[in-house]
């Protein structure tokens, strides 16, 4: 039967113990991204970003897909039928939330539970850590229907994968399993499907214990440096560390140093200080 989802039902989320579990929520359409979903996702991300009860955000999918990419009907065909203005608007809506995710104020983890295609590579890259089910399927399927991998997808492959692998992936339209995606650098790690949630939870719990301002400064530094020279990166690191001080970074570091050197209650090489 046909399911007509209201915009607010295209994304589902809950917050439990400091973790926001955000889901692409169109399982009947393999969670492909329609303009409605893109608008809703941006609103949900913004709503969660500064909540004190959210320490980490997980992006996953309802059903057997993470996301089957852009919605070929609602995002492409129906929007194109309305002309260039509508096309540009829908592009801004999707690229807009991918960008919000790349520069999110909290750490983010992609939990890739199934299909991940094309446009899905934007949010995949947007998440800081990506854990996939071994049997998830990753594809730049654009070439299979006569377009190039746009919306960031080809850049993501070129950025994350070895060049020869990325080129093959973009040109051949063959899918990679989660395991292969791990081997080729597209995801951080692949685990058996029945261990996926437990592994993601373990990572979230570890992130929750870190100093949140230091985490944000670290993830932004890693992303900013991608197109910097060594010297510019070094300079950026100095400035970012100094900016961190205005969020209490100097006091945090002093306290961590005290716990290590004086109290001997932790070792930075083996764990996190007590924040
Ligand atoms: N756009 C629009 N509708 C989609 C999309 C999509 N990207 N993906 C799935 N759907 C719809 C199907 O049309 C179908 O709708 P219907 O029930 O009204 O007929 C429903 O979702 C279920 O899809 P099935 O194909 O029946 O599901 P199945 O489990 O057999 O296959 C698969 C899953 C492999 C993901 C398949 O749906 C597929 O190939 N989807 C397209 C993947 C893709 O290439 N996405 C575009 C990438 S390029 C880009 O994002 C720019």
């Amino acid at each position: 039967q046909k399911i007509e989802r209201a915009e607010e039902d295209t994304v589902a989320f809950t917050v439990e113990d400091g973790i926001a579990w955000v889901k692409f929520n169109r399982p009947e359409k393999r969670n492909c991204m329609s303009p409605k979903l893109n608008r809703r996702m941006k609103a949900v991300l913004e709503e969660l970003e500064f909540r004190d009860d959210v320490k980490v955000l997980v992006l996953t999918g309802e059903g057997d897909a993470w996301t089957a990419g852009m919605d070929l009907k609602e995002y492409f065909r129906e929007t194109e039928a309305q002309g260039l203005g509508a096309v540009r608007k829908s592009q801004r809506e999707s690229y807009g939330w991918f960008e919000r995710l790349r520069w999110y104020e909290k750490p983010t983890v992609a939990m890739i539970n199934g299909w991940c295609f094309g446009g899905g590579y934007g949010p995949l890259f947007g998440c800081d850590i990506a854990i996939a089910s071994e049997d998830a399927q990753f594809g730049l399927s654009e070439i299979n229907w006569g377009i190039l991998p746009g919306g960031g997808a080809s850049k993501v492959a070129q950025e994350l994968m070895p060049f020869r692998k990325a080129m093959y992936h973009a040109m051949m339209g063959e899918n990679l399993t989660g395991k292969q995606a791990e081997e080729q650098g597209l995801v951080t790690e692949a685990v058996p499907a029945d261990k996926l949630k437990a592994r993601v939870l373990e990572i979230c719990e570890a992130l929750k214990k870190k100093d949140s301002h230091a985490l944000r400064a670290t993830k932004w530094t890693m992303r900013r440096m991608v197109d910097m020279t060594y010297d510019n990166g070094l300079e950026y690191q100095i400035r970012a560390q100094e900016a961190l001080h205005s969020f209490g970074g100097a006091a945090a570091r002093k306290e961590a140093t005290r716990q290590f050197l004086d109290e001997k209650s932790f070792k930075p090489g083996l764990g996190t200080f007590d924040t």
Side-chain angles (χ1 to χ4, degrees):
Q1 102 253 16
K2 282 251 171 278
I3 300 180
E4 267 306 324
R5 250 172 224 282
E7 184 165 316
E8 67 170 33
D9 296 331
T10 56
V11 175
F13 70 93
T14 55
V15 177
E16 291 159 39
D17 292 334
I19 305 170
W21 299 90
V22 179
K23 279 185 178 181
F24 293 103
N25 193 37
R26 300 178 74 209
E28 68 284 357
K29 295 286 181 188
R30 303 303 176 263
N31 296 328
C32 66
M33 293 177 275
S34 61
K36 279 186 197 167
L37 183 144
N38 290 328
R39 285 193 290 271
R40 182 62 186 150
M41 190 63 91
K42 181 143 184 280
V44 167
L45 292 179
E46 285 176 346
E47 179 181 332
L48 294 168
E49 192 162 24
F50 293 104
R51 268 173 59 164
D52 290 339
D53 60 344
V54 174
K55 307 289 180 212
V56 187
L57 183 136
V58 176
L59 182 58
T60 190
E62 183 62 46
D64 63 5
W66 195 64
T67 172
M70 307 321 292
D71 187 321
L72 271 62
K73 179 169 172 279
E74 294 183 36
Y75 181 85
F76 286 114
R77 193 164 65 186
E78 292 177 1
T79 307
E80 280 159 16
Q82 294 168 45
L84 187 59
V87 169
R88 289 287 181 264
K89 178 170 180 289
S90 63
Q91 286 171 334
R92 280 194 296 271
E93 287 166 348
S94 60
Y95 305 163
W97 80 261
F98 301 171
E99 191 203 12
R100 282 299 327 123
L101 202 55
R102 281 201 304 284
W103 301 105
Y104 209 60
E105 299 268 348
K106 306 272 170 75
T108 53
V109 182
M111 180 167 105
I112 305 110
N113 52 305
W115 304 111
C116 177
F117 284 107
Y121 283 30
L124 177 68
F125 183 58
C127 292
D128 304 318
I129 293 175
I131 309 297
S133 165
E134 280 174 0
D135 55 14
Q137 295 272 323
F138 294 80
L140 286 182
S141 54
E142 284 87 341
I143 196 66
N144 294 342
W145 61 285
I147 68 166
L148 63 80
S154 50
K155 180 63 180 160
V156 172
Q158 176 255 307
E159 196 80 55
L160 296 181
M161 300 165 77
F163 189 75
R164 285 285 176 216
K165 298 292 187 191
M167 186 67 98
Y168 185 94
H169 191 51
M171 292 180 70
M172 296 294 286
E174 293 171 5
N175 295 342
L176 300 173
T177 62
K179 201 76 203 144
Q180 291 169 314
E182 177 195 83
E183 286 157 11
Q184 300 189 15
L186 199 52
V187 298
T188 316
E189 200 177 304
V191 297
D194 61 350
K195 304 269 179 349
L196 181 63
K197 183 147 188 205
R199 179 63 184 130
V200 168
L201 203 50
E202 189 176 66
I203 290 168
C204 292
E205 289 303 325
L207 288 169
K208 273 165 56 182
K209 295 198 182 82
K210 311 281 182 211
D211 181 273
S212 63
H213 298 300
L215 263 184
R216 180 185 49 202
T218 298
K219 56 178 266 185
W220 286 354
T221 299
M222 291 298 289
R223 287 188 185 276
R224 284 282 174 222
M225 287 189 310
V226 166
D227 54 8
M228 284 184 192
T229 59
Y230 190 95
D231 281 335
N232 288 344
L234 199 54
E235 181 65 14
Y236 182 86
Q237 291 161 36
I238 292 170
R239 300 302 151 215
Q241 179 59 44
E242 287 172 358
L244 188 53
H245 291 172
S246 66
F247 289 97
R253 177 158 53 166
K254 209 167 151 199
E255 170 58 17
T257 308
R258 191 192 66 76
Q259 289 177 20
F260 175 51
L261 295 181
D262 305 328
E263 200 176 281
K264 299 197 184 298
S265 55
F266 95 112
K267 293 177 196 286
L270 301 177
T272 304
F273 79 109
D274 187 3
T275 48

